[in-house]
Amino acid sequence: MHKPFIENMRKDMVENQLRQRGITDDRVLDAMGDVPRHLFVTEDLRDEAYMDGPLPIGFGQTISQPYIVAYMTEVLKVEQHHSVLEVGTGCGYQAAILSTLARNIVSLERIKELAESAQRRLQELGYTNVDVINTNGWHGYEKKAPYDRIIVTAGAKKISQALLDQLSNNGIMIIPVGKIMFSQTLRIISKDSNGNVTKQTSLPVRFVRLVNK
Ligand code: SAH
C-alpha cells in the first residue's frame, strides 16, 4: 500500500470516526492521526486497519476500535507529566497513543507472546517510554505505583481493588465492567485530593475478558 493512501485513510478515520462523533481534544486527535495503526496488525489486515471496528491480533484477542481508544484516552485527561498504567497491552496500539501524551507508560499483558511482540513493535516505532510487562494485570503493578491514570482495556467482572489502591490522589481510572462476556459499561473512577472515590457510568462496550486469576 502506498504511504499517501495510508495517510489519507488515517485522516479519514480521525475526521469521520472521531471528530464527527464528538472527540474534541486536539492532543488525542493528533495522537490518533500520528500513530501508524496499520503497523499494529498483521500484514493481511493492514488495509482494514483504519476501519470502524476491532480486528483480531491472534490468541483470541483484538486491537480495539479506533473510536473506543480515542474516547477512553480523552476521558483520562492525560497530562505530559503523568505516569500511566494500562492493563491489557494486546498489540500495543493504545499504549502507543498514551506514549505520545504522558511521561511514562507501564502496560501489563498476561500472554507472553503478545507482551514480547508489543514491546518490540513499540521500541521499533520509537515509543520508548512504554514498559510492557508480562504479568497478570488484575493485581496491577505495585512496583511502579501509584499511577496518575489507569486504563483497563479488557472487560472486568468488577472493579479491581488492587488497581483502585494503585491510583494516586487526583487520579482517574477507566475500566469496562460487566458480568456477561463481551458486554460491559465503561466506568470512570476519580479520586480527589483526599483520596475520596467517585464513580460514573459511561458508554456500553464489548471488550474481551479481563482474566482475574
Ligand atoms: N489495549 C489493546 C487492546 C487489548 S485486548 C489495544 O491497544 O488494542 C485485551 C488484552 O488484555 C488482551 O491482549 C489480553 O490478553 C489482555 N488481558 C486479559 N486479561 C488480562 C490480565 N488479567 N492481565 C493482563 N492482560 C490481560
Side-chain angles (χ1 to χ4, degrees), residues 61-64 86 88-90 94 109-110 136-137 153 209 211:
Q61 310 301 327
T62 54
I63 177 172
S64 303
E86 178 188 33
T89 317
Q94 173 77 69
E109 172 56 58
R110 58 180 279 276
N136 183 345
T153 60
R209 172 147 289 166
V211 175

Side-chain angles (χ1 to χ4, degrees), residues 37 57 61-64 69 86-95 108-111 114 135-138 153-154 207-213:
R37 182 172 163 92
I57 57 166
Q61 310 301 327
T62 54
I63 177 172
S64 303
V69 174
E86 178 188 33
V87 180
T89 317
C91 63
Y93 178 67
Q94 173 77 69
L108 312 178
E109 172 56 58
R110 58 180 279 276
I111 299 174
L114 287 177
T135 186
N136 183 345
W138 177 252
T153 60
F207 276 93
V208 296
R209 172 147 289 166
L210 180 75
V211 175
N212 64 353
K213 50 177 171 326

Side-chain angles (χ1 to χ4, degrees), residues 22-31 73-74 77-78 101:
I23 304 294
T24 56
D25 185 335
D26 283 329
R27 294 172 64 236
V28 175
L29 293 166
D30 286 349
T73 309
E74 184 169 73
K77 300 191 185 83
V78 177
L101 301 171

